[in-house]
Amino acid sequence: QVNTTYKVAADFCREMTAMITETSNAGFHVLQPIDAFQKMKVQRGRPDISLPQIALDTLFDQVQLQLDRSQYECLLRCASYAKDYTKTNQFRKFIPRCRPTEDPRAWWQFAFE
């Protein structure tokens, strides 16, 4: 049995790769060059577990993406899949560990809860 999330991610990667090779020409970049400033703070001495060991602050002046229509639509589908995954992920712990044919009652209880 194939995990549907993996299948969707694999399809997304395959589509994006195909589109990039189709539309790529000299000088075309999906992500334009960016300027950034980054500051890193490292906690020294006795580690305090209530504080992060490394804090990283990054400041971007401007980020530009250049996408064609098909890449933009594919990116929107990916965002939709991610939103659906986070929505259903909170209920994964309640899914019965057996197959529906093995214990239909457990699956009906899961459906009604």
Side-chain angles (χ1 to χ4, degrees), residues 12-111:
F12 172 73
C13 289
R14 192 171 24 262
E15 286 180 24
M16 285 299 284
T17 304
M19 284 185 273
I20 289 170
T21 56
E22 289 172 4
T23 59
S24 65
N25 49 3
F28 176 76
H29 300 284
V30 173
L31 180 63
Q32 300 297 323
I34 59 173
D35 290 327
F37 175 76
Q38 195 167 44
K39 183 169 64 171
M40 181 171 72
K41 295 178 189 175
V42 178
Q43 183 183 8
R44 300 189 184 265
R46 291 186 54 172
D48 183 4
I49 59 172
S50 65
L51 298 173
Q53 298 297 312
I54 297 174
L56 194 61
D57 292 327
T58 306
L59 177 65
F60 295 101
D61 287 335
Q62 186 175 4
V63 177
Q64 292 181 348
L65 292 176
Q66 183 177 354
L67 303 171
D68 63 10
R69 183 180 183 90
S70 59
Q71 288 172 326
Y72 178 70
E73 290 171 355
C74 196
L75 191 62
L76 289 179
R77 280 196 306 268
C78 182
S80 175
Y81 294 143
K83 183 185 77 166
D84 292 343
Y85 176 79
T86 56
K87 191 187 316 182
T88 59
N89 191 36
Q90 62 185 341
F91 301 109
R92 289 189 192 280
K93 61 185 172 187
F94 301 116
I95 295 176
R97 301 284 183 225
C98 58
R99 300 179 63 71
T101 55
E102 294 170 0
D103 190 4
R105 169 172 263 169
W107 280 89
W108 280 110
Q109 286 176 344
F110 168 69

